Structures are given as C-alpha cells and as structure tokens.
C-alpha cells in the first residue's frame, strides 16, 4: 500500500508533467504560426512530441524515486533474517523449524 507522502508526490509530479505537456503544445502552436514552410511545421510537431516524451519519462523517474524513498531499509545490524532464509545447520537434511503450517505435534492440521 502506498504511503500518503508517496501519493502526494506522485500527484505533484503528474501535475508537473501536465504543465510541461501544455507548455510544449503552446510552443508548438507559436512555432507553427511563425513557420514559413511545411518542413518547419513538421519540425515544430516533432519538437512537441519530444518534449512530451521527456515529460513522461521524468514522471516515471519521479514515481520510481518516490517508491524508493518510502521503501524500508532491509538488512539492519540486528542480524535478523526473513523467515525461510536461515542457512541450515551442517549435516541437517531438513530445516530446524517448519517453514509453513503448524509445528510438529500440533493437534490442528
């Protein structure tokens, strides 16, 4: 589940993307109005598309950065390991504890 900070950051990044896209469209219209040839108009369209793609790329990078900021730090100094990752003892053929279900001899199965 996303944290509130991450959601707000994503909303802010999306708003920034929309502003960048709108700015690119306005610039395209201005360039097309000033263009004298069809080639210049096509260049204006391509420039807008490039700016839109850059804005979307920045949005995705920002979202990835927001997720990374909110991830808990794994591998602290306490020496604890997640369940099921403990190395078995030398010579043991089975884990020293059950990985799932109830402990051996438990009456509910």
């Amino acid at each position: 589940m996303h944290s509130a900070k991450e959601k707000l950051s994503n909303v802010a990044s999306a708003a920034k993307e929309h502003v960048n896209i709108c700015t690119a469209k306005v610039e395209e219209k201005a360039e097309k109005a000033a263009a004298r040839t069809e080639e210049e108009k096509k260049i204006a369209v391509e420039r807008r598309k490039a700016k839109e793609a850059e804005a979307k790329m920045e949005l995705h990078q920002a979202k990835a950065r927001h997720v990374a900021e909110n991830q808990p730090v794994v591998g602290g100094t306490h020496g604890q390991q997640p369940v099921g990752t403990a190395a078995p003892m030398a010579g043991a053929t089975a884990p020293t504890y059950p990985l799932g279900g109830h402990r051996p001899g438990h009456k509910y199965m």
Side-chain angles (χ1 to χ4, degrees):
M1 185 168 186
H2 300 292
S3 69
K5 179 182 176 185
E6 181 181 345
K7 285 184 180 182
L8 288 174
S9 298
N10 287 345
V11 168
S13 296
K16 184 177 178 182
E17 177 205 15
H18 289 295
V19 167
N20 289 342
I21 288 174
C22 289
T23 304
K25 287 180 180 180
V26 169
E27 289 174 359
E28 175 200 13
K29 288 182 181 182
E31 287 179 24
K32 283 176 108 176
R36 295 184 182 182
T37 65
E38 280 297 314
E39 186 175 305
E40 290 176 348
K41 290 181 182 182
K42 288 180 183 178
I43 290 172
V45 171
E46 292 299 321
R47 191 172 288 142
R48 174 191 50 88
K49 288 180 181 180
K51 288 181 181 181
E52 286 179 1
E54 183 180 357
K56 288 183 180 187
M57 178 190 66
E58 288 173 1
L59 173 68
H60 290 294
Q61 288 176 345
K63 283 185 174 182
R65 191 171 51 251
H66 300 154
V67 170
E69 289 171 357
N70 291 322
Q71 292 294 325
V73 177
V74 179
T77 59
H78 300 301
Q80 297 175 349
Q81 295 179 342
V83 174
T85 60
M89 294 173 36
T93 58
T96 57
Y97 58 91
L99 294 177
H102 300 287
R103 63 181 184 271
H106 193 269
K107 67 179 186 178
Y108 299 110
M109 295 225 150

